[in-house]
Structures are given as C-alpha cells and as structure tokens.
Amino acid sequence: MKVKYLAHACFVITADSGVRVITDPYTVGEALTYGAIEEAAEVVVVSHDHGDHNNVAAVTGKPVVVKGGGLTKAKGIGFKGIPSYHDESRGGERGENTIFCFTVDGVRVCHLGDLGHDLSKEQVAEVGPVDLLLVPVGGFYTMDASVASAVWQKLSPRVTVPMHYKTAKCGYPIAGVDAFLKGKKKVRRLEGSELALNAARLPAGEIVVLRPALA
C-alpha cells in the first residue's frame, strides 16, 4: 500500500488493488492556503465536521463517506470508528472526534483525526495494534507535542507520520513538527510526500516526516 500526504490531516491511502481512501479533506481558506484537493477516491473518512477536515465535495469519484463511531465496511475495507474528543473537556470546547482504524493490504492504519486528549486504557485497547499511526502534533486545536508523544508511546506503532502542524501554508496558531520529534530516535525526513509500506517488512518504531504534496 502507498500513503500520500496531501496536507494538514489529509492523506491518500492506496491499496494494491487500486482502492483509494482519503482522510479528512480540508477546505482552502485564509488560514489554510495549501493547494485545492483534486483527488479521486472510493472512500472518504471524516473524523469530525469542521471545515478543515470535512470537505467531502472536493473528492471526485462518488466516494462512500465514513463518519462516526462503530463498524462500517466500504469497498471491501472494514473501518472502526472510536469515539473521542477534540479537546480535554470531553468535547465542551470543540466537540467530538472520531479515531478511525482500518487495514489496507495487511497494514493496520490508525488516523487520530483532531484528537485533543490523552487516550484511556480502554481507548488504547479499542484501537489495538497499529502499524501506521497518523497523529496530530501541533497543539492548540489538538494534542500538543507532549500529549501526542504519550499517545504515541501507548499505541507503539511500527511507523508514525505526524500531521496537523504549522507550515508556511497553515495560518493556525499551532506548533511545527519539531517539538514532537525532539529527543526521538529513528526519525526520517523525506523530500517527497509518499511512502510505500509492506506488511511483511515494516520497520519498528520509525517516525517519517512527509512533505505536504499540496504545499
């Protein structure tokens, strides 16, 4: 399977069969000046209904939209939505968030959406084993680097790709990726926006920083 980082919290995950899953498509605006999303997909996963995560209309191909908690099957892929919150006040500040777990070509993917708090033991158990973790690290609207690091340690993924952090194209008052990376080993910064993963040959504990394709 291949992972392409478009920008912000939006990825295109492509199975060997050609089925494409897009996560949290954003709307271009004053705060987000990344390029417009012009991708086709069979499935779109939306963690919550904020404009920088729910621009389903930008995705072509008449995709199935997966939202909310529970189990959903779309285009042969099973999606597990785990309820969580956008803040540390049980949603009192910014509402609810859904963590999505799904498996593509044997690679167990977990997209945390705009998770705004540490995970409980029960939530960690619900998530289960993770091969690829897509984790917000910028703080303010989501977990900051410290809490994101705690979640990362609890989930112990094989590969981690940070997302939802400050760049030249993101005007939100959030931090860059470096605070999350500080002190961590096995960090790779790629010049490109894509990563290929094979379930039989996954690294152990690697953090990969991808360049946003639409920056």
Side-chain angles (χ1 to χ4, degrees):
M1 59 97 85
K2 293 181 179 178
V3 181
K4 181 179 181 180
Y5 186 33
L6 295 186
H8 204 46
C10 186
F11 294 83
V12 183
I13 297 170
T14 305
D16 291 344
S17 66
V19 173
R20 291 154 59 92
V21 178
I22 288 185
T23 66
D24 283 9
Y26 58 84
T27 300
V28 177
E30 290 185 8
L32 286 181
T33 58
Y34 295 112
I37 296 170
E38 297 178 346
E39 300 273 354
E42 283 67 45
V43 183
V44 178
V45 174
V46 176
S47 65
H48 64 293
D49 277 324
H50 286 168
D52 57 331
H53 293 260
N54 71 347
N55 188 16
V56 174
V59 181
T60 60
K62 297 182 179 179
V64 177
V65 180
V66 178
K67 291 183 177 183
L71 301 176
T72 305
K73 192 162 188 179
K75 303 301 180 181
I77 301 173
F79 295 85
K80 182 179 185 181
I82 300 169
S84 59
Y85 299 102
H86 203 321
D87 52 61
E88 294 183 334
S89 304
R90 299 184 64 83
E93 298 172 53
R94 298 188 178 90
E96 298 180 347
N97 176 72
T98 304
I99 297 167
F100 277 103
C101 301
F102 52 99
T103 300
V104 177
D105 297 332
V107 177
R108 297 167 296 194
V109 181
C110 178
H111 187 285
L112 294 177
D114 262 8
L115 183 66
H117 59 88
D118 200 351
L119 294 180
S120 66
K121 290 182 180 179
E122 292 76 15
Q123 287 170 319
V124 170
E126 277 198 84
V127 170
V130 178
D131 294 321
L132 172 62
L133 180 66
L134 308 174
V135 56
V137 301
F140 195 83
Y141 297 115
T142 69
M143 303 179 291
D144 62 15
S146 175
V147 178
S149 294
V151 169
W152 170 73
Q153 288 183 322
K154 289 179 180 180
L155 294 179
S156 190
R158 303 293 296 271
V159 181
T160 299
V161 177
M163 64 177 186
H164 208 285
Y165 52 82
K166 184 80 168 182
T167 71
K169 299 287 186 176
C170 175
Y172 291 138
I174 59 179
V177 71
D178 289 342
F180 174 73
L181 301 177
K182 187 176 181 180
K184 293 182 174 64
K185 300 177 181 179
K186 295 185 179 180
V187 174
R188 281 200 298 150
R189 293 177 183 261
L190 300 189
E191 291 300 319
S193 59
E194 297 189 40
L195 177 68
L197 295 175
N198 185 311
R201 296 191 299 273
L202 290 170
E206 187 172 76
I207 298 173
V208 181
V209 181
L210 297 175
R211 287 182 176 270
L214 298 179

